[in-house]
Amino acid sequence: MKNDLNYQLIANPAAGNGKTNKILSQVEKIFRENNCSFKTYVTTGAADATTAARKAVKNGAEVVVAVGGDGTVNEVANGLVGTEAKLATIPAGTGNDFARTLRMSKEIEKACAEILTGECRAIDLGKVLNRYFVNLVGVGFDGAVGNEINQRNKFLPGPWPYLLAIFKVLFSYQPVQMKISMDEQTLHCTPTLVAVGIGQCCGGGIRLVPDAIQDDGLFDVCVIDSLGKLETLYHLPKLLTAEHKKLDQVNIYRSREVKLEVAKELPLQMEGEVFLLKSCILLLNLRL
């Protein structure tokens, strides 16, 4: 049976240490076997997927499929904002946390079937630093961990790059004073980590905000107080089971807006990509 939608595959060859290159021909074969109208574009560098997504929509694409990891999804999403085109993904990156929150299958055939036959639903859209995001932003320790992963550890699957990077960053990271303003309260603190999520997890399945709902119009905000190094190591396994939320040092809030003011520059990771937070940012949940 013919699928009448027009698809655009946007594939990042660098995702997952080259995993996209190994599966792209299989994805195309499945789309052809299902008589789909589709085109393929292979990115060549940073932000290329955003430009390609915008161009694809102008050329009639109705569903744009990010074949890659969370960074690829982020770039494609930024190209689709303000259009009627739908976002889909085939997980081929290091973490694949957006796909994990959507409960996308890790098997290529099943993932393609979910895209071609599954239902579409609206989810929240976040904005910070003039960029949009669909999953999670981490500031402080999480940003430093993201930077370490990007530099060294992408060859490992699942949460292992994140966990190894934690060990590396743990002995050098120093928490910074912050003012965190949310809808109904303001915190003055020196947290180890602040995570603002639409989706539940980062780092290949680390469920920092395990109760986040993708379409409730609110961020889940996880604030982890400053912990000693040994204390951090002791509690680390709790991140894998979401038991960390029971700790006295962890508080999770819900808010549509989050304003962060920091005493000094900090790394910020947005769906696998790392930026520099210099003084103040405002995160908005755009419930469209």
Side-chain angles (χ1 to χ4, degrees):
M1 183 174 68
K2 180 177 174 55
N3 185 316
D4 293 328
L5 294 173
N6 291 317
Y7 294 85
Q8 174 74 56
L9 306 178
I10 297 181
N12 177 5
N17 200 34
K19 181 178 178 181
T20 298
N21 290 327
K22 300 175 183 177
I23 70 169
L24 182 56
S25 60
Q26 182 183 357
V27 172
E28 292 175 318
K29 180 175 182 289
I30 293 169
F31 272 63
R32 281 193 296 268
E33 289 174 346
N34 283 273
N35 298 313
C36 295
S37 173
F38 75 95
K39 295 180 180 178
T40 300
Y41 180 82
V42 178
T43 63
T44 58
D48 193 23
T50 299
T51 303
R54 290 177 183 146
K55 185 176 180 180
V57 174
K58 289 181 180 179
N59 291 334
E62 297 166 282
V63 181
V64 182
V65 184
V67 186
D70 293 311
T72 310
V73 170
N74 180 271
E75 287 194 10
V76 170
N78 273 269
L80 298 183
V81 172
T83 76
E84 296 296 321
K86 308 300 188 293
L87 169 68
T89 182
I90 294 174
T94 303
N96 302 315
D97 290 295
F98 179 69
R100 182 175 283 102
T101 299
L102 291 175
R103 294 184 172 87
M104 292 283 295
S105 174
K106 297 178 182 179
E107 297 180 25
I108 301 306
E109 289 188 8
K110 290 183 178 179
C112 289
E114 289 168 357
I115 291 170
L116 297 177
T117 63
E119 294 183 359
C120 181
R121 68 183 180 94
I123 65 170
D124 293 342
L125 180 70
K127 185 177 183 181
V128 63
L129 298 176
N130 290 319
R131 288 185 62 87
Y132 298 93
F133 64 97
V134 292
N135 187 48
L136 190 143
V137 168
V139 176
F141 188 82
D142 190 47
V145 168
N147 191 50
E148 176 67 20
I149 292 172
N150 288 344
Q151 291 181 12
R152 308 181 193 281
N153 294 316
K154 284 198 169 185
F155 61 91
L156 293 171
W160 290 108
Y162 192 87
L163 295 174
L164 289 175
I166 285 177
F167 281 101
K168 174 78 179 209
V169 173
L170 180 62
F171 297 98
S172 60
Y173 181 77
Q174 296 295 324
V176 172
Q177 288 184 340
M178 289 189 195
K179 178 182 177 182
I180 307 173
S181 302
M182 293 172 281
D183 292 347
E184 299 179 354
Q185 59 189 307
T186 298
L187 307 177
H188 295 269
C189 54
T190 308
T192 295
L193 178 150
V194 177
V196 181
I198 294 170
Q200 298 177 354
C201 57
C202 66
I206 306 296
R207 296 169 62 212
L208 282 177
V209 283
D211 299 316
I213 301 169
Q214 288 179 298
D215 58 359
D216 65 352
L218 298 171
F219 293 125
D220 274 37
V221 185
C222 177
V223 181
I224 300 180
D225 293 340
S226 181
L227 300 172
K229 293 176 175 56
L230 292 178
E231 193 176 14
T232 300
L233 288 174
Y234 176 77
H235 292 305
L236 187 60
K238 294 181 173 68
L239 291 174
L240 295 172
T241 59
E243 291 296 307
H244 68 287
K245 69 179 184 178
K246 298 179 181 179
L247 298 175
D248 292 338
Q249 301 92 334
V250 176
N251 290 284
I252 298 179
Y253 309 88
R254 281 197 167 134
S255 180
R256 184 179 178 275
E257 295 185 6
V258 182
K259 184 178 181 180
L260 300 179
E261 299 173 71
V262 297
K264 59 181 291 188
E265 292 183 348
L266 279 177
L268 175 150
Q269 75 85 11
M270 183 189 308
E271 292 160 2
E273 302 301 314
V274 179
F275 304 86
L276 190 63
L277 167 56
K278 295 184 178 181
S279 57
C280 176
I281 56 170
L282 179 64
L283 296 100
L284 295 172
N285 194 317
L286 308 174
R287 188 71 182 108
L288 302 180

